[in-house]
C-alpha cells in the first residue's frame, strides 16, 4: 500500500550519446489491484537529462503497447504527483502520462521546468481530476502542453514558449 516515491536533488542522465534504442529517464508502469498498483506515485525535485525516450513516462500499457489487464474494481495511478522536475535534452516527451484506459486520476503536475524536447514537453492522455499548474516549457519539438480527453481537469498558470521548433527526425532547428 505504500506509495512509490522518487525524491531527490540529483540528476538522472540517460546518456543518449553512448546508448542506442529508446531509453526513458523514469518509466513507471502500473498494473494489478488497488492495493498493489501505482497509486500515489510521486516524483519530486529531480533533474532528468539526455534521454532518447521520454524523461518521465507513466503508462498502463505493457512493452508491446497492449493495455495491462486490470481486475474488478482495480485502480491504476490514483493521485500521481510530478513536481519540481527539471528536464532537458530528451528526444521524446518531457512528461508523458500515457493512459489507454483512463485510469490515472486526480494527478498533479506542478512547478516543472521542461526544455529542449524532441516531442511534446508535457502530454497527458485522458486526465480526470488533474491539476496542471505553474509549469514552464520551452523549446519543445511538439506542443508545450498536450491534453487529450480531459475531464474535470484544471490547467492554470502554465508558461509555454517556443513550440514546434525541432525536426523530430534529427532534433535540429
Amino acid at each position: 500500500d505504500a506509495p512509490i516515491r522518487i525524491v531527490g536533488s540529483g540528476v538522472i542522465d540517460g546518456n543518449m550519446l553512448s546508448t542506442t534504442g529508446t531509453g526513458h529517464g523514469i518509466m513507471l508502469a502500473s498494473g494489478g489491484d488497488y492495493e498493489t498498483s501505482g497509486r500515489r506515485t510521486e516524483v519530486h525535485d529531480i533533474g532528468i537529462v539526455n534521454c532518447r525516450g521520454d524523461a518521465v513516462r507513466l503508462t498502463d500499457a505493457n512493452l508491446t503497447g497492449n493495455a495491462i489487464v486490470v481486475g474488478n474494481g482495480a485502480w491504476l495511478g490514483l493521485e500521481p504527483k510530478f513536481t519540481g522536475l527539471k528536464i532537458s535534452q530528451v528526444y521524446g516527451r518531457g512528461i508523458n502520462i500515457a493512459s489507454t484506459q483512463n485510469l490515472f486520476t486526480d494527478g498533479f503536475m506542478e512547478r516543472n521546468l521542461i526544455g529542449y524536447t524532441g516531442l511534446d514537453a508535457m502530454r497527458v492522455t485522458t486526465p480526470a481530476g488533474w491539476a496542471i499548474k505553474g509549469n514552464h516549457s520551452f523549446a519543445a519539438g511538439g506542443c508545450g502542453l498536450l491534453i487529450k480527453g480531459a475531464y474535470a481537469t484544471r490547467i492554470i498558470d502554465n508558461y509555454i514558449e517556443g513550440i514546434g521548433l525541432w525536426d523530430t527526425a534529427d532534433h535540429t532547428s
Side-chain angles (χ1 to χ4, degrees), residues 88-128:
S88 182
Q89 302 294 335
V90 296
Y91 277 16
R93 293 178 172 92
I95 299 174
N96 187 7
I97 312 303
S99 176
T100 61
Q101 305 172 78
N102 194 24
L103 296 173
F104 299 127
T105 62
D106 304 315
F108 300 88
M109 190 183 303
E110 300 176 350
R111 299 180 290 97
N112 299 296
L113 177 63
I114 304 170
Y116 303 104
T117 60
L119 300 173
D120 311 312
M122 296 169 279
R123 178 179 183 254
V124 185
T125 305
T126 63

PDB file of all heavy atoms in Angstrom, residues 88-128:
ATOM      1  N   SER A  88      15.624  18.313 -19.512  1.00  0.00           N
ATOM      2  CA  SER A  88      16.245  18.935 -20.674  1.00  0.00           C
ATOM      3  C   SER A  88      16.888  17.889 -21.577  1.00  0.00           C
ATOM      4  O   SER A  88      17.352  16.853 -21.102  1.00  0.00           O
ATOM      5  CB  SER A  88      17.311  19.937 -20.204  1.00  0.00           C
ATOM      6  OG  SER A  88      17.901  20.581 -21.304  1.00  0.00           O
ATOM      7  N   GLN A  89      16.925  18.177 -22.864  1.00  0.00           N
ATOM      8  CA  GLN A  89      17.609  17.351 -23.855  1.00  0.00           C
ATOM      9  C   GLN A  89      17.066  15.920 -23.907  1.00  0.00           C
ATOM     10  O   GLN A  89      17.776  14.969 -23.626  1.00  0.00           O
ATOM     11  CB  GLN A  89      19.123  17.331 -23.584  1.00  0.00           C
ATOM     12  CG  GLN A  89      19.786  18.679 -23.589  1.00  0.00           C
ATOM     13  CD  GLN A  89      19.775  19.341 -24.966  1.00  0.00           C
ATOM     14  OE1 GLN A  89      19.705  18.684 -25.981  1.00  0.00           O
ATOM     15  NE2 GLN A  89      19.820  20.652 -24.984  1.00  0.00           N
ATOM     16  N   VAL A  90      15.794  15.784 -24.259  1.00  0.00           N
ATOM     17  CA  VAL A  90      15.211  14.455 -24.439  1.00  0.00           C
ATOM     18  C   VAL A  90      14.622  14.355 -25.844  1.00  0.00           C
ATOM     19  O   VAL A  90      14.051  15.311 -26.349  1.00  0.00           O
ATOM     20  CB  VAL A  90      14.137  14.129 -23.363  1.00  0.00           C
ATOM     21  CG1 VAL A  90      14.742  14.079 -21.977  1.00  0.00           C
ATOM     22  CG2 VAL A  90      12.989  15.107 -23.390  1.00  0.00           C
ATOM     23  N   TYR A  91      14.798  13.214 -26.483  1.00  0.00           N
ATOM     24  CA  TYR A  91      14.274  13.015 -27.828  1.00  0.00           C
ATOM     25  C   TYR A  91      12.757  12.811 -27.818  1.00  0.00           C
ATOM     26  O   TYR A  91      12.089  13.125 -28.783  1.00  0.00           O
ATOM     27  CB  TYR A  91      14.921  11.801 -28.478  1.00  0.00           C
ATOM     28  CG  TYR A  91      16.267  12.061 -29.110  1.00  0.00           C
ATOM     29  CD1 TYR A  91      17.009  13.202 -28.837  1.00  0.00           C
ATOM     30  CD2 TYR A  91      16.813  11.138 -29.988  1.00  0.00           C
ATOM     31  CE1 TYR A  91      18.242  13.420 -29.411  1.00  0.00           C
ATOM     32  CE2 TYR A  91      18.049  11.346 -30.573  1.00  0.00           C
ATOM     33  CZ  TYR A  91      18.758  12.491 -30.287  1.00  0.00           C
ATOM     34  OH  TYR A  91      19.972  12.693 -30.872  1.00  0.00           O
ATOM     35  N   GLY A  92      12.224  12.261 -26.754  1.00  0.00           N
ATOM     36  CA  GLY A  92      10.791  12.017 -26.640  1.00  0.00           C
ATOM     37  C   GLY A  92      10.083  13.193 -25.984  1.00  0.00           C
ATOM     38  O   GLY A  92      10.343  14.356 -26.289  1.00  0.00           O
ATOM     39  N   ARG A  93       9.204  12.875 -25.039  1.00  0.00           N
ATOM     40  CA  ARG A  93       8.446  13.895 -24.304  1.00  0.00           C
ATOM     41  C   ARG A  93       9.088  14.142 -22.942  1.00  0.00           C
ATOM     42  O   ARG A  93       9.704  13.242 -22.381  1.00  0.00           O
ATOM     43  CB  ARG A  93       7.005  13.433 -24.135  1.00  0.00           C
ATOM     44  CG  ARG A  93       6.278  13.368 -25.452  1.00  0.00           C
ATOM     45  CD  ARG A  93       4.852  12.861 -25.308  1.00  0.00           C
ATOM     46  NE  ARG A  93       4.152  12.990 -26.562  1.00  0.00           N
ATOM     47  CZ  ARG A  93       4.094  12.015 -27.483  1.00  0.00           C
ATOM     48  NH1 ARG A  93       4.674  10.854 -27.256  1.00  0.00           N
ATOM     49  NH2 ARG A  93       3.448  12.221 -28.609  1.00  0.00           N
ATOM     50  N   GLY A  94       8.864  15.318 -22.405  1.00  0.00           N
ATOM     51  CA  GLY A  94       9.368  15.615 -21.067  1.00  0.00           C
ATOM     52  C   GLY A  94       8.652  14.770 -20.024  1.00  0.00           C
ATOM     53  O   GLY A  94       9.246  13.934 -19.366  1.00  0.00           O
ATOM     54  N   ILE A  95       7.348  14.991 -19.884  1.00  0.00           N
ATOM     55  CA  ILE A  95       6.499  14.171 -19.008  1.00  0.00           C
ATOM     56  C   ILE A  95       5.386  13.607 -19.875  1.00  0.00           C
ATOM     57  O   ILE A  95       4.668  14.359 -20.536  1.00  0.00           O
ATOM     58  CB  ILE A  95       5.915  14.984 -17.840  1.00  0.00           C
ATOM     59  CG1 ILE A  95       7.030  15.562 -16.966  1.00  0.00           C
ATOM     60  CG2 ILE A  95       4.978  14.113 -17.002  1.00  0.00           C
ATOM     61  CD1 ILE A  95       6.544  16.494 -15.871  1.00  0.00           C
ATOM     62  N   ASN A  96       5.248  12.287 -19.872  1.00  0.00           N
ATOM     63  CA  ASN A  96       4.250  11.622 -20.705  1.00  0.00           C
ATOM     64  C   ASN A  96       3.396  10.707 -19.841  1.00  0.00           C
ATOM     65  O   ASN A  96       3.856   9.670 -19.380  1.00  0.00           O
ATOM     66  CB  ASN A  96       4.947  10.813 -21.809  1.00  0.00           C
ATOM     67  CG  ASN A  96       3.960  10.245 -22.818  1.00  0.00           C
ATOM     68  OD1 ASN A  96       2.780  10.551 -22.787  1.00  0.00           O
ATOM     69  ND2 ASN A  96       4.470   9.412 -23.699  1.00  0.00           N
ATOM     70  N   ILE A  97       2.161  11.120 -19.604  1.00  0.00           N
ATOM     71  CA  ILE A  97       1.198  10.302 -18.868  1.00  0.00           C
ATOM     72  C   ILE A  97       0.349   9.614 -19.939  1.00  0.00           C
ATOM     73  O   ILE A  97      -0.552  10.207 -20.513  1.00  0.00           O
ATOM     74  CB  ILE A  97       0.318  11.154 -17.923  1.00  0.00           C
ATOM     75  CG1 ILE A  97       1.172  12.115 -17.087  1.00  0.00           C
ATOM     76  CG2 ILE A  97      -0.553  10.256 -17.066  1.00  0.00           C
ATOM     77  CD1 ILE A  97       2.243  11.472 -16.252  1.00  0.00           C
ATOM     78  N   ALA A  98       0.698   8.359 -20.237  1.00  0.00           N
ATOM     79  CA  ALA A  98       0.130   7.645 -21.380  1.00  0.00           C
ATOM     80  C   ALA A  98      -0.864   6.588 -20.906  1.00  0.00           C
ATOM     81  O   ALA A  98      -0.497   5.470 -20.610  1.00  0.00           O
ATOM     82  CB  ALA A  98       1.256   6.992 -22.189  1.00  0.00           C
ATOM     83  N   SER A  99      -2.122   6.963 -20.847  1.00  0.00           N
ATOM     84  CA  SER A  99      -3.158   6.052 -20.371  1.00  0.00           C
ATOM     85  C   SER A  99      -4.013   5.570 -21.529  1.00  0.00           C
ATOM     86  O   SER A  99      -4.522   6.367 -22.314  1.00  0.00           O
ATOM     87  CB  SER A  99      -4.043   6.755 -19.346  1.00  0.00           C
ATOM     88  OG  SER A  99      -5.102   5.910 -18.945  1.00  0.00           O
ATOM     89  N   THR A 100      -4.170   4.266 -21.625  1.00  0.00           N
ATOM     90  CA  THR A 100      -5.059   3.702 -22.633  1.00  0.00           C
ATOM     91  C   THR A 100      -6.440   3.414 -22.062  1.00  0.00           C
ATOM     92  O   THR A 100      -7.364   3.109 -22.802  1.00  0.00           O
ATOM     93  CB  THR A 100      -4.467   2.385 -23.186  1.00  0.00           C
ATOM     94  OG1 THR A 100      -4.346   1.446 -22.114  1.00  0.00           O
ATOM     95  CG2 THR A 100      -3.115   2.612 -23.822  1.00  0.00           C
ATOM     96  N   GLN A 101      -6.582   3.500 -20.721  1.00  0.00           N
ATOM     97  CA  GLN A 101      -7.818   3.077 -20.065  1.00  0.00           C
ATOM     98  C   GLN A 101      -8.429   4.138 -19.155  1.00  0.00           C
ATOM     99  O   GLN A 101      -9.319   3.833 -18.379  1.00  0.00           O
ATOM    100  CB  GLN A 101      -7.538   1.828 -19.222  1.00  0.00           C
ATOM    101  CG  GLN A 101      -6.915   0.696 -20.015  1.00  0.00           C
ATOM    102  CD  GLN A 101      -6.475  -0.422 -19.102  1.00  0.00           C
ATOM    103  OE1 GLN A 101      -7.292  -1.207 -18.648  1.00  0.00           O
ATOM    104  NE2 GLN A 101      -5.180  -0.489 -18.821  1.00  0.00           N
ATOM    105  N   ASN A 102      -7.931   5.367 -19.203  1.00  0.00           N
ATOM    106  CA  ASN A 102      -8.459   6.442 -18.359  1.00  0.00           C
ATOM    107  C   ASN A 102      -8.361   6.100 -16.875  1.00  0.00           C
ATOM    108  O   ASN A 102      -9.302   6.280 -16.111  1.00  0.00           O
ATOM    109  CB  ASN A 102      -9.903   6.757 -18.740  1.00  0.00           C
ATOM    110  CG  ASN A 102     -10.380   8.059 -18.134  1.00  0.00           C
ATOM    111  OD1 ASN A 102      -9.585   8.933 -17.822  1.00  0.00           O
ATOM    112  ND2 ASN A 102     -11.671   8.190 -17.965  1.00  0.00           N
ATOM    113  N   LEU A 103      -7.205   5.597 -16.450  1.00  0.00           N
ATOM    114  CA  LEU A 103      -7.073   5.135 -15.072  1.00  0.00           C
ATOM    115  C   LEU A 103      -6.100   5.948 -14.211  1.00  0.00           C
ATOM    116  O   LEU A 103      -5.959   5.654 -13.036  1.00  0.00           O
ATOM    117  CB  LEU A 103      -6.652   3.657 -15.064  1.00  0.00           C
ATOM    118  CG  LEU A 103      -7.676   2.712 -15.674  1.00  0.00           C
ATOM    119  CD1 LEU A 103      -7.108   1.311 -15.781  1.00  0.00           C
ATOM    120  CD2 LEU A 103      -8.956   2.698 -14.863  1.00  0.00           C
ATOM    121  N   PHE A 104      -5.439   6.945 -14.772  1.00  0.00           N
ATOM    122  CA  PHE A 104      -4.572   7.805 -13.959  1.00  0.00           C
ATOM    123  C   PHE A 104      -5.397   9.030 -13.581  1.00  0.00           C
ATOM    124  O   PHE A 104      -5.565   9.948 -14.375  1.00  0.00           O
ATOM    125  CB  PHE A 104      -3.316   8.210 -14.723  1.00  0.00           C
ATOM    126  CG  PHE A 104      -2.469   7.038 -15.115  1.00  0.00           C
ATOM    127  CD1 PHE A 104      -2.074   6.848 -16.413  1.00  0.00           C
ATOM    128  CD2 PHE A 104      -2.065   6.121 -14.169  1.00  0.00           C
ATOM    129  CE1 PHE A 104      -1.282   5.771 -16.775  1.00  0.00           C
ATOM    130  CE2 PHE A 104      -1.281   5.031 -14.518  1.00  0.00           C
ATOM    131  CZ  PHE A 104      -0.888   4.863 -15.823  1.00  0.00           C
ATOM    132  N   THR A 105      -5.924   9.035 -12.390  1.00  0.00           N
ATOM    133  CA  THR A 105      -6.866  10.074 -11.991  1.00  0.00           C
ATOM    134  C   THR A 105      -6.339  10.920 -10.850  1.00  0.00           C
ATOM    135  O   THR A 105      -5.486  10.498 -10.079  1.00  0.00           O
ATOM    136  CB  THR A 105      -8.207   9.453 -11.566  1.00  0.00           C
ATOM    137  OG1 THR A 105      -7.979   8.615 -10.430  1.00  0.00           O
ATOM    138  CG2 THR A 105      -8.821   8.634 -12.678  1.00  0.00           C
ATOM    139  N   ASP A 106      -6.882  12.130 -10.765  1.00  0.00           N
ATOM    140  CA  ASP A 106      -6.620  13.046  -9.653  1.00  0.00           C
ATOM    141  C   ASP A 106      -5.132  13.327  -9.476  1.00  0.00           C
ATOM    142  O   ASP A 106      -4.628  13.387  -8.361  1.00  0.00           O
ATOM    143  CB  ASP A 106      -7.232  12.504  -8.359  1.00  0.00           C
ATOM    144  CG  ASP A 106      -8.710  12.232  -8.509  1.00  0.00           C
ATOM    145  OD1 ASP A 106      -9.398  13.100  -9.079  1.00  0.00           O
ATOM    146  OD2 ASP A 106      -9.179  11.162  -8.096  1.00  0.00           O
ATOM    147  N   GLY A 107      -4.423  13.507 -10.584  1.00  0.00           N
ATOM    148  CA  GLY A 107      -2.976  13.721 -10.534  1.00  0.00           C
ATOM    149  C   GLY A 107      -2.592  15.184 -10.440  1.00  0.00           C
ATOM    150  O   GLY A 107      -3.415  16.087 -10.595  1.00  0.00           O
ATOM    151  N   PHE A 108      -1.309  15.391 -10.192  1.00  0.00           N
ATOM    152  CA  PHE A 108      -0.743  16.723 -10.059  1.00  0.00           C
ATOM    153  C   PHE A 108       0.520  16.822 -10.911  1.00  0.00           C
ATOM    154  O   PHE A 108       1.394  15.960 -10.834  1.00  0.00           O
ATOM    155  CB  PHE A 108      -0.364  17.007  -8.606  1.00  0.00           C
ATOM    156  CG  PHE A 108      -1.527  16.940  -7.665  1.00  0.00           C
ATOM    157  CD1 PHE A 108      -1.892  15.730  -7.091  1.00  0.00           C
ATOM    158  CD2 PHE A 108      -2.250  18.069  -7.354  1.00  0.00           C
ATOM    159  CE1 PHE A 108      -2.964  15.651  -6.222  1.00  0.00           C
ATOM    160  CE2 PHE A 108      -3.331  17.995  -6.490  1.00  0.00           C
ATOM    161  CZ  PHE A 108      -3.691  16.784  -5.919  1.00  0.00           C
ATOM    162  N   MET A 109       0.615  17.872 -11.707  1.00  0.00           N
ATOM    163  CA  MET A 109       1.816  18.182 -12.458  1.00  0.00           C
ATOM    164  C   MET A 109       2.071  19.667 -12.208  1.00  0.00           C
ATOM    165  O   MET A 109       1.378  20.528 -12.751  1.00  0.00           O
ATOM    166  CB  MET A 109       1.593  17.891 -13.947  1.00  0.00           C
ATOM    167  CG  MET A 109       2.841  17.954 -14.782  1.00  0.00           C
ATOM    168  SD  MET A 109       2.548  17.696 -16.554  1.00  0.00           S
ATOM    169  CE  MET A 109       1.748  16.121 -16.580  1.00  0.00           C
ATOM    170  N   GLU A 110       3.044  19.942 -11.325  1.00  0.00           N
ATOM    171  CA  GLU A 110       3.223  21.318 -10.861  1.00  0.00           C
ATOM    172  C   GLU A 110       4.693  21.717 -10.786  1.00  0.00           C
ATOM    173  O   GLU A 110       5.544  20.913 -10.425  1.00  0.00           O
ATOM    174  CB  GLU A 110       2.604  21.485  -9.468  1.00  0.00           C
ATOM    175  CG  GLU A 110       1.128  21.193  -9.427  1.00  0.00           C
ATOM    176  CD  GLU A 110       0.544  21.257  -8.023  1.00  0.00           C
ATOM    177  OE1 GLU A 110       1.317  21.337  -7.048  1.00  0.00           O
ATOM    178  OE2 GLU A 110      -0.684  21.219  -7.908  1.00  0.00           O
ATOM    179  N   ARG A 111       4.954  22.968 -11.138  1.00  0.00           N
ATOM    180  CA  ARG A 111       6.271  23.610 -10.985  1.00  0.00           C
ATOM    181  C   ARG A 111       7.400  22.864 -11.697  1.00  0.00           C
ATOM    182  O   ARG A 111       8.507  22.781 -11.205  1.00  0.00           O
ATOM    183  CB  ARG A 111       6.633  23.785  -9.512  1.00  0.00           C
ATOM    184  CG  ARG A 111       5.687  24.643  -8.710  1.00  0.00           C
ATOM    185  CD  ARG A 111       6.112  24.779  -7.265  1.00  0.00           C
ATOM    186  NE  ARG A 111       5.979  23.559  -6.500  1.00  0.00           N
ATOM    187  CZ  ARG A 111       6.956  22.684  -6.242  1.00  0.00           C
ATOM    188  NH1 ARG A 111       8.149  22.855  -6.675  1.00  0.00           N
ATOM    189  NH2 ARG A 111       6.720  21.598  -5.520  1.00  0.00           N
ATOM    190  N   ASN A 112       7.134  22.321 -12.874  1.00  0.00           N
ATOM    191  CA  ASN A 112       8.161  21.629 -13.630  1.00  0.00           C
ATOM    192  C   ASN A 112       8.741  22.562 -14.686  1.00  0.00           C
ATOM    193  O   ASN A 112       8.026  23.381 -15.261  1.00  0.00           O
ATOM    194  CB  ASN A 112       7.577  20.382 -14.302  1.00  0.00           C
ATOM    195  CG  ASN A 112       7.041  19.411 -13.278  1.00  0.00           C
ATOM    196  OD1 ASN A 112       7.789  18.873 -12.476  1.00  0.00           O
ATOM    197  ND2 ASN A 112       5.734  19.193 -13.278  1.00  0.00           N
ATOM    198  N   LEU A 113      10.032  22.437 -14.942  1.00  0.00           N
ATOM    199  CA  LEU A 113      10.732  23.221 -15.953  1.00  0.00           C
ATOM    200  C   LEU A 113      11.224  22.242 -17.014  1.00  0.00           C
ATOM    201  O   LEU A 113      12.055  21.376 -16.727  1.00  0.00           O
ATOM    202  CB  LEU A 113      11.909  23.966 -15.322  1.00  0.00           C
ATOM    203  CG  LEU A 113      12.790  24.770 -16.268  1.00  0.00           C
ATOM    204  CD1 LEU A 113      11.986  25.884 -16.926  1.00  0.00           C
ATOM    205  CD2 LEU A 113      13.975  25.342 -15.504  1.00  0.00           C
ATOM    206  N   ILE A 114      10.686  22.361 -18.238  1.00  0.00           N
ATOM    207  CA  ILE A 114      10.949  21.364 -19.281  1.00  0.00           C
ATOM    208  C   ILE A 114      11.367  22.075 -20.559  1.00  0.00           C
ATOM    209  O   ILE A 114      10.617  22.898 -21.094  1.00  0.00           O
ATOM    210  CB  ILE A 114       9.704  20.504 -19.534  1.00  0.00           C
ATOM    211  CG1 ILE A 114       9.243  19.839 -18.235  1.00  0.00           C
ATOM    212  CG2 ILE A 114       9.993  19.461 -20.611  1.00  0.00           C
ATOM    213  CD1 ILE A 114       7.900  19.173 -18.322  1.00  0.00           C
ATOM    214  N   GLY A 115      12.559  21.738 -21.056  1.00  0.00           N
ATOM    215  CA  GLY A 115      13.047  22.370 -22.277  1.00  0.00           C
ATOM    216  C   GLY A 115      13.811  21.412 -23.164  1.00  0.00           C
ATOM    217  O   GLY A 115      14.336  20.402 -22.716  1.00  0.00           O
ATOM    218  N   TYR A 116      13.862  21.765 -24.427  1.00  0.00           N
ATOM    219  CA  TYR A 116      14.613  21.018 -25.445  1.00  0.00           C
ATOM    220  C   TYR A 116      14.158  19.563 -25.541  1.00  0.00           C
ATOM    221  O   TYR A 116      14.924  18.640 -25.339  1.00  0.00           O
ATOM    222  CB  TYR A 116      16.116  21.121 -25.199  1.00  0.00           C
ATOM    223  CG  TYR A 116      16.590  22.546 -25.179  1.00  0.00           C
ATOM    224  CD1 TYR A 116      16.903  23.173 -23.985  1.00  0.00           C
ATOM    225  CD2 TYR A 116      16.670  23.266 -26.365  1.00  0.00           C
ATOM    226  CE1 TYR A 116      17.301  24.500 -23.964  1.00  0.00           C
ATOM    227  CE2 TYR A 116      17.072  24.600 -26.348  1.00  0.00           C
ATOM    228  CZ  TYR A 116      17.381  25.199 -25.145  1.00  0.00           C
ATOM    229  OH  TYR A 116      17.771  26.521 -25.125  1.00  0.00           O
ATOM    230  N   THR A 117      12.873  19.394 -25.839  1.00  0.00           N
ATOM    231  CA  THR A 117      12.317  18.057 -26.053  1.00  0.00           C
ATOM    232  C   THR A 117      12.089  17.849 -27.543  1.00  0.00           C
ATOM    233  O   THR A 117      11.762  18.796 -28.270  1.00  0.00           O
ATOM    234  CB  THR A 117      10.978  17.879 -25.307  1.00  0.00           C
ATOM    235  OG1 THR A 117      10.040  18.847 -25.782  1.00  0.00           O
ATOM    236  CG2 THR A 117      11.161  18.034 -23.802  1.00  0.00           C
ATOM    237  N   GLY A 118      12.251  16.610 -27.994  1.00  0.00           N
ATOM    238  CA  GLY A 118      12.014  16.296 -29.402  1.00  0.00           C
ATOM    239  C   GLY A 118      10.542  16.309 -29.746  1.00  0.00           C
ATOM    240  O   GLY A 118      10.150  16.674 -30.844  1.00  0.00           O
ATOM    241  N   LEU A 119       9.703  15.892 -28.796  1.00  0.00           N
ATOM    242  CA  LEU A 119       8.257  15.878 -28.992  1.00  0.00           C
ATOM    243  C   LEU A 119       7.637  16.878 -28.016  1.00  0.00           C
ATOM    244  O   LEU A 119       8.221  17.911 -27.744  1.00  0.00           O
ATOM    245  CB  LEU A 119       7.722  14.456 -28.791  1.00  0.00           C
ATOM    246  CG  LEU A 119       8.305  13.406 -29.756  1.00  0.00           C
ATOM    247  CD1 LEU A 119       7.857  12.003 -29.374  1.00  0.00           C
ATOM    248  CD2 LEU A 119       7.938  13.724 -31.191  1.00  0.00           C
ATOM    249  N   ASP A 120       6.470  16.584 -27.483  1.00  0.00           N
ATOM    250  CA  ASP A 120       5.781  17.499 -26.572  1.00  0.00           C
ATOM    251  C   ASP A 120       6.524  17.613 -25.245  1.00  0.00           C
ATOM    252  O   ASP A 120       7.064  16.626 -24.743  1.00  0.00           O
ATOM    253  CB  ASP A 120       4.365  16.990 -26.290  1.00  0.00           C
ATOM    254  CG  ASP A 120       3.618  16.636 -27.566  1.00  0.00           C
ATOM    255  OD1 ASP A 120       3.639  17.453 -28.499  1.00  0.00           O
ATOM    256  OD2 ASP A 120       3.044  15.535 -27.624  1.00  0.00           O
ATOM    257  N   ALA A 121       6.508  18.797 -24.657  1.00  0.00           N
ATOM    258  CA  ALA A 121       7.107  18.968 -23.335  1.00  0.00           C
ATOM    259  C   ALA A 121       6.300  18.192 -22.289  1.00  0.00           C
ATOM    260  O   ALA A 121       6.865  17.483 -21.461  1.00  0.00           O
ATOM    261  CB  ALA A 121       7.186  20.440 -22.961  1.00  0.00           C
ATOM    262  N   MET A 122       4.976  18.329 -22.330  1.00  0.00           N
ATOM    263  CA  MET A 122       4.098  17.625 -21.393  1.00  0.00           C
ATOM    264  C   MET A 122       2.909  17.068 -22.161  1.00  0.00           C
ATOM    265  O   MET A 122       2.298  17.782 -22.944  1.00  0.00           O
ATOM    266  CB  MET A 122       3.589  18.578 -20.310  1.00  0.00           C
ATOM    267  CG  MET A 122       4.659  19.130 -19.409  1.00  0.00           C
ATOM    268  SD  MET A 122       4.057  20.496 -18.370  1.00  0.00           S
ATOM    269  CE  MET A 122       4.154  21.872 -19.527  1.00  0.00           C
ATOM    270  N   ARG A 123       2.583  15.806 -21.903  1.00  0.00           N
ATOM    271  CA  ARG A 123       1.434  15.173 -22.556  1.00  0.00           C
ATOM    272  C   ARG A 123       0.693  14.329 -21.530  1.00  0.00           C
ATOM    273  O   ARG A 123       1.295  13.510 -20.838  1.00  0.00           O
ATOM    274  CB  ARG A 123       1.889  14.270 -23.694  1.00  0.00           C
ATOM    275  CG  ARG A 123       0.749  13.545 -24.396  1.00  0.00           C
ATOM    276  CD  ARG A 123       1.322  12.691 -25.522  1.00  0.00           C
ATOM    277  NE  ARG A 123       0.302  12.018 -26.277  1.00  0.00           N
ATOM    278  CZ  ARG A 123       0.041  10.718 -26.190  1.00  0.00           C
ATOM    279  NH1 ARG A 123       0.735   9.950 -25.365  1.00  0.00           N
ATOM    280  NH2 ARG A 123      -0.890  10.170 -26.919  1.00  0.00           N
ATOM    281  N   VAL A 124      -0.609  14.549 -21.443  1.00  0.00           N
ATOM    282  CA  VAL A 124      -1.436  13.761 -20.528  1.00  0.00           C
ATOM    283  C   VAL A 124      -2.637  13.255 -21.322  1.00  0.00           C
ATOM    284  O   VAL A 124      -3.398  14.036 -21.882  1.00  0.00           O
ATOM    285  CB  VAL A 124      -1.909  14.585 -19.306  1.00  0.00           C
ATOM    286  CG1 VAL A 124      -2.653  13.692 -18.325  1.00  0.00           C
ATOM    287  CG2 VAL A 124      -0.752  15.285 -18.628  1.00  0.00           C
ATOM    288  N   THR A 125      -2.782  11.928 -21.372  1.00  0.00           N
ATOM    289  CA  THR A 125      -3.881  11.305 -22.096  1.00  0.00           C
ATOM    290  C   THR A 125      -4.985  10.928 -21.115  1.00  0.00           C
ATOM    291  O   THR A 125      -4.727  10.276 -20.112  1.00  0.00           O
ATOM    292  CB  THR A 125      -3.387  10.045 -22.832  1.00  0.00           C
ATOM    293  OG1 THR A 125      -2.287  10.418 -23.652  1.00  0.00           O
ATOM    294  CG2 THR A 125      -4.472   9.452 -23.700  1.00  0.00           C
ATOM    295  N   THR A 126      -6.177  11.334 -21.393  1.00  0.00           N
ATOM    296  CA  THR A 126      -7.399  11.095 -20.610  1.00  0.00           C
ATOM    297  C   THR A 126      -7.263  11.440 -19.123  1.00  0.00           C
ATOM    298  O   THR A 126      -7.574  10.625 -18.256  1.00  0.00           O
ATOM    299  CB  THR A 126      -7.912   9.645 -20.776  1.00  0.00           C
ATOM    300  OG1 THR A 126      -6.936   8.729 -20.279  1.00  0.00           O
ATOM    301  CG2 THR A 126      -8.253   9.329 -22.217  1.00  0.00           C
ATOM    302  N   PRO A 127      -6.836  12.666 -18.808  1.00  0.00           N
ATOM    303  CA  PRO A 127      -6.781  13.031 -17.387  1.00  0.00           C
ATOM    304  C   PRO A 127      -8.177  13.299 -16.834  1.00  0.00           C
ATOM    305  O   PRO A 127      -8.993  13.919 -17.492  1.00  0.00           O
ATOM    306  CB  PRO A 127      -5.948  14.312 -17.394  1.00  0.00           C
ATOM    307  CG  PRO A 127      -6.246  14.928 -18.717  1.00  0.00           C
ATOM    308  CD  PRO A 127      -6.429  13.768 -19.672  1.00  0.00           C
ATOM    309  N   ALA A 128      -8.423  12.828 -15.642  1.00  0.00           N
ATOM    310  CA  ALA A 128      -9.668  13.112 -14.936  1.00  0.00           C
ATOM    311  C   ALA A 128      -9.298  13.631 -13.551  1.00  0.00           C
ATOM    312  O   ALA A 128      -8.625  12.948 -12.790  1.00  0.00           O
ATOM    313  CB  ALA A 128     -10.525  11.854 -14.827  1.00  0.00           C
TER     314      ALA A 128
END
